[in-house]
Amino acid sequence: MSIAIETVKTGNIEMDYFRCGKEGGFPLAIIPGLSIKSVMESAPAVAALYKPFADEFDIYVFDRRKNLPDTYSLEEMADDTAKAIEALGLTKVNFYGASQGAIMVQLIAIRHPEIVNSIVLGSTAPRATEDSEKIVQNWIDLATMDTCKELMLAFADKVYTADFVNKYRDAFITMARLVSQEELDKFKILAGTLFGFDNTEGLGTIKCPALVLGARNDQVFNYTLSEELAKGIGCDVYIYDDYGHAVYDEAPDYVDRLHTFYTACVK
């Protein structure tokens, strides 16, 4: 499957995205989490994963902006993504975010409610914690030392289950060899946005339909933060047992759960 990577430009922002599903269908914007390699490189796999949406939803998967400033905040990331979505002429958008992407979706729902129809927030939190900041700082330190193999494996160990890491360990090591200095620099800037983040006071202003999904063995954002997030918004939460942070990649019913929620929101 070949999927074109396109670029949307607005002001001084350039942002890559790809599109799949039904052209002109209900808009679904996917904001991925922090990653070492861009999700744009996995476009066919993502499109295949979201095949249940293909008959009704027009899916847009967004990268972060290209020309990153040296200092960047999660609020700015959310605003830049909202600007890109507006530049594409999208309205009544259903948003799905994972991890850092879900923090951005929270902020978009608060700061740009006019473009939002519904949101699902996966493996995320309303605020940074000491534990999450320690994990991210370790990743930044490894990226600074240019130890790509160690960074990739440390990232995988915190994000995926042990069985998944063991199964794909060689693939992670191979991927590490392909990481460029530009990607490491970008990773450090994006990872650094977590420090000091606290959105707890803004959650009550989110009025669109919402769902929070978490995992009981999440090492990055403890599952209790998913429960705290849902309580602050006043929405349902579902916690997966036996999965970690990347439950969105590992739980076989995850995409079906998303599809059920969004279908109800657009009917």
Side-chain angles (χ1 to χ4, degrees):
M1 181 190 303
S2 177
I3 296 179
I5 306 301
E6 302 182 64
T7 302
V8 56
K9 300 180 181 180
T10 175
N12 65 337
I13 299 166
E14 293 187 10
M15 185 177 295
D16 286 344
Y17 71 96
F18 66 85
R19 187 177 179 183
C20 56
K22 179 182 179 182
E23 185 172 347
F26 300 112
L28 170 63
I30 297 176
I31 316 297
L34 175 69
S35 61
I36 302 166
K37 300 288 288 183
S38 170
V39 72
M40 297 295 107
E41 299 181 21
S42 304
V46 174
L49 182 63
Y50 286 87
K51 189 176 180 180
F53 290 81
D55 291 338
E56 294 185 280
F57 289 84
D58 197 351
I59 304 169
Y60 293 76
V61 182
F62 291 92
D63 205 348
R64 306 298 190 257
R65 64 182 284 182
K66 286 185 176 183
N67 46 334
L68 283 180
D70 292 336
T71 57
Y72 202 29
S73 70
L74 284 160
E75 288 80 6
E76 289 170 323
M77 291 168 66
D79 290 345
D80 287 345
T81 301
K83 289 175 185 176
I85 288 170
E86 290 171 340
L88 292 170
L90 300 177
T91 59
K92 296 183 179 179
V93 180
N94 303 283
F95 283 87
Y96 169 64
S99 192
Q100 185 187 75
I103 292 177
M104 293 167 62
V105 170
Q106 293 175 48
L107 293 168
I108 290 171
I110 292 168
R111 298 162 72 90
H112 306 274
E114 69 281 356
I115 65 172
V116 179
N117 186 60
S118 68
I119 60 174
V120 178
L121 308 172
S123 299
T124 194
R127 57 186 174 84
T129 66
E130 183 177 349
D131 288 342
S132 60
E133 288 180 347
K134 283 181 179 178
I135 289 169
V136 171
Q137 185 61 59
N138 181 55
W139 293 343
I140 292 174
D141 291 343
L142 291 171
T144 301
M145 292 186 288
D146 194 16
T147 52
C148 293
K149 176 183 174 182
E150 289 79 3
L151 170 61
M152 189 68 72
L153 291 176
F155 187 88
D157 283 341
K158 291 298 183 183
V159 170
Y160 295 99
T161 60
D163 287 346
F164 189 94
V165 174
N166 290 335
K167 183 177 180 179
Y168 294 105
R169 182 181 174 84
D170 290 345
F172 286 124
I173 293 172
T174 298
M175 191 183 304
R177 299 190 187 107
L178 304 176
V179 176
S180 67
Q181 185 60 52
E182 181 181 359
E183 289 170 323
L184 287 176
D185 292 340
K186 182 176 182 179
F187 177 83
K188 287 185 287 184
I189 292 171
L190 295 176
T193 62
L194 178 68
F195 297 102
F197 171 73
D198 191 337
N199 190 38
T200 51
E201 291 187 3
L203 297 178
T205 65
I206 297 176
K207 301 303 181 184
C208 64
L211 173 65
V212 175
L213 299 176
R216 199 164 302 278
N217 298 326
D218 191 332
Q219 298 183 72
V220 181
F221 294 124
N222 188 278
Y223 77 93
T224 58
L225 292 167
S226 293
E227 295 175 334
E228 180 182 323
L229 178 61
K231 183 177 180 180
I233 297 172
C235 70
D236 289 339
V237 59
Y238 182 83
I239 304 297
Y240 279 86
D241 292 322
D242 303 322
Y243 289 98
H245 187 72
V247 58
Y248 42 81
D249 282 340
E250 297 190 58
D253 67 335
Y254 197 93
V255 171
D256 290 336
R257 191 175 296 276
L258 295 178
H259 186 261
T260 297
F261 174 80
Y262 290 123
T263 299
C265 290
V266 299
K267 297 303 184 184

